[in-house]
């Protein structure tokens, strides 16, 4: 099973995505947090294979956290999950070590496909970002 953690401050989005992924037998949810600080606490006992990370978070931003997570958990892939489709944060996220970039409007089935792709060595990106 692919161990997934999600850091997303919007509780409804976080709950909906994790509930969908729990139904897929390829995934197990190891942590679900509303901030980087909560996520770091959860990672003390459950290090995921993939972290789904929002950019705009209370406290430390997702962009600032990428390098921190890459240093502390080098085997964890990070996929950004955000409303931002501006080139600057996308470029910063990828240069900081994110392995993928998905827009929050991505259908759940495509999120699952993208996480599987990432786990198998790919670099998933929402089509509007890739263009």
């Amino acid at each position: 099973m692919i161990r997934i953690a999600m850091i997303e401050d919007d509780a409804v989005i976080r709950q909906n995505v994790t509930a969908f992924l729990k139904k897929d037998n390829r995934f197990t949810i190891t942590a679900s947090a509303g901030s980087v600080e909560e996520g770091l606490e959860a990672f003390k006992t459950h290090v995921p294979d993939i972290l789904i990370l929002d950019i705009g978070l209370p406290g430390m931003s997702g962009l600032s956290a990428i390098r921190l997570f890459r240093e502390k958990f080098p085997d964890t892939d990070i996929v950004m999950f955000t409303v931002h489709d501006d080139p600057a944060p996308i470029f910063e996220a990828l240069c900081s070590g994110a392995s993928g970039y998905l827009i929050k409007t991505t259908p759940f089935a495509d999120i699952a496909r993208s996480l599987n792709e990432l786990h198998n060595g790919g670099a998933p990106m929402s089509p509007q970002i890739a263009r």
Side-chain angles (χ1 to χ4, degrees):
M1 290 189 100
I2 303 169
R3 298 177 314 244
I4 306 291
M6 183 169 199
I7 300 177
E8 164 62 57
D9 62 326
D10 185 314
V12 173
I13 292 173
R14 186 174 67 244
Q15 290 165 359
N16 288 339
V17 172
T18 58
F20 178 81
L21 293 175
K22 283 179 181 178
K23 294 177 187 176
D24 190 316
N25 64 6
R26 296 174 292 179
F27 307 113
T28 185
I29 305 299
T30 62
S32 178
S35 70
V36 170
E37 294 79 7
E38 287 177 26
L40 285 169
E41 190 63 32
F43 278 29
K44 288 180 179 177
T45 54
H46 297 43
V47 177
D49 297 311
I50 298 173
L51 170 61
I52 303 169
L53 181 62
D54 185 15
I55 286 181
L57 295 166
M60 180 183 288
S61 77
L63 282 176
S64 298
I66 297 169
R67 284 196 172 103
L68 174 68
F69 281 113
R70 297 298 301 147
E71 288 173 13
K72 289 184 171 280
F73 311 103
D75 294 331
T76 298
D77 285 314
I78 300 170
V79 62
M80 302 310 291
F81 189 64
T82 182
V83 296
H84 299 282
D85 60 0
D86 301 329
I90 296 167
F91 186 70
E92 182 178 347
L94 296 174
C95 287
S96 294
S99 301
Y101 201 100
L102 300 175
I103 298 297
K104 288 184 181 181
T105 56
T106 303
F108 290 152
D110 291 343
I111 292 171
R113 180 194 48 76
S114 294
L115 295 174
N116 194 56
E117 176 187 339
L118 178 60
H119 187 69
N120 290 312
M125 198 153 302
S126 292
Q128 61 268 48
I129 298 300
R131 293 196 84 203

